[in-house]
Amino acid sequence: MKKQILVLYSGHQYDYLYGLLTALRNLKDTDFIIIDSVRYGDEEKKKVISPNIQVIPAIDKSKIGRISFGIELIKYYSLLIYHVAMSPAQVIHIEWFNYISIKFEEFLIPTVAKLFGKKILYKVHDLSKEKLLSDGSSKVISEMTPTRRYFFNRVDKFIVHNKYMRNLLHANGVKPDRIKIIYHGVNNYAENLNIGSLFARTSLH
């Protein structure tokens, strides 16, 4: 029987998701269920199709601010709870929380996951008091709220992209053996951008 992993993405930047999916498509022995949001325009067209990947558009964030968005949240959390609890996946990989209700999710997801014996992997992008580091400044002020502490105590493994974030987690009480560094790689499945390799390399500097 193939392994199955549930991935929470929650509608964040599509270029990152695109790179993630083009890597996961090569893991033929594992099925992935991606909980994402409804995509529009170029993002909707630029899909990664693979038999081992199922992307579920669980919430429509274009309705934020409308009365109907309350219904979207009810549908989203009903579907999320169902998949965390009832899917065959034994691993819940949290790539991004839904930042509309992050404190609620920090309590809800680990509670349901551990009740049903699931393992939690958490990709740590930042620990800032701001919503995202890119929305704030280069000065990092980490904040361990009660719900974040509750969540962190129930994560089985943390994934970070660099030693800086590993050290920041360690400073906030996470033991080193629970942290795995996976450095950013190169997406070899990108569309033809009509640029040469020399130009691409020099553009990185």
Side-chain angles (χ1 to χ4, degrees):
M1 184 176 179
K2 292 178 71 174
K3 294 179 291 185
Q4 188 176 103
I5 295 176
L6 180 69
V7 180
L8 179 61
Y9 198 82
S10 294
H12 289 274
Q13 60 196 91
Y14 189 75
D15 54 346
Y16 196 100
L17 177 61
Y18 181 73
L20 179 66
L21 295 183
T22 53
L24 296 182
R25 67 184 299 173
N26 297 314
L27 303 177
K28 303 301 184 184
D29 63 337
T30 305
D31 288 331
F32 297 91
I33 299 175
I34 317 292
I35 305 295
D36 194 33
S37 67
V38 176
R39 300 283 180 172
Y40 292 96
D42 291 340
E43 290 186 354
E44 195 279 330
K45 295 175 185 176
K46 193 177 178 182
K47 292 180 178 178
V48 175
I49 306 223
S50 179
N52 68 325
I53 295 174
Q54 178 188 7
V55 179
I56 300 175
I59 188 170
D60 188 348
K61 291 189 174 181
S62 70
K63 295 182 180 180
I64 292 176
R66 304 181 196 173
I67 295 176
S68 59
F69 188 64
I71 298 174
E72 285 292 313
L73 282 176
I74 292 171
K75 287 164 49 181
Y76 170 72
Y77 283 114
S78 298
L79 186 146
L80 182 61
I81 291 171
Y82 171 79
H83 279 286
V84 171
M86 305 307 296
S87 77
Q90 289 301 305
V91 175
I92 315 298
H93 176 114
I94 301 173
E95 187 70 31
W96 291 103
F97 279 115
N98 187 335
Y99 276 97
I100 297 166
S101 50
I102 185 170
K103 288 183 172 65
F104 178 62
E105 291 189 6
E106 285 176 335
F107 174 78
L108 174 70
I109 295 174
T111 300
V112 176
K114 293 308 175 183
L115 184 63
F116 286 86
K118 309 294 180 76
K119 292 187 179 298
I120 300 175
L121 300 182
Y122 180 43
K123 170 79 72 60
V124 186
H125 295 275
D126 70 84
L127 285 177
S128 71
K129 293 182 71 174
E130 303 293 333
K131 180 186 290 187
L132 293 172
L133 288 179
S134 57
D135 293 337
S137 66
S138 59
K139 184 179 180 181
V140 178
I141 305 175
S142 60
E143 180 185 37
M144 292 302 291
T145 62
T147 54
R148 183 172 291 179
R149 180 69 66 188
Y150 175 86
F151 170 65
F152 272 27
N153 287 340
R154 286 154 183 81
V155 171
D156 294 278
K157 205 78 172 181
F158 294 85
I159 299 173
V160 299
H161 289 314
N162 52 58
K163 293 179 181 178
Y164 174 80
M165 187 56 67
R166 179 196 63 188
N167 295 339
L168 194 58
L169 280 177
H170 190 203
N172 279 279
V174 180
K175 294 182 179 179
D177 61 353
R178 296 173 62 205
I179 306 169
K180 174 69 175 178
I181 299 178
I182 300 179
Y183 296 100
H184 279 297
V186 176
N187 183 4
N188 290 319
Y189 190 72
E191 296 177 347
N192 183 4
L193 302 177
N194 295 316
I195 61 175
S197 59
L198 180 60
F199 177 81
R201 286 172 184 158
T202 56
S203 299
L204 293 174
H205 298 293

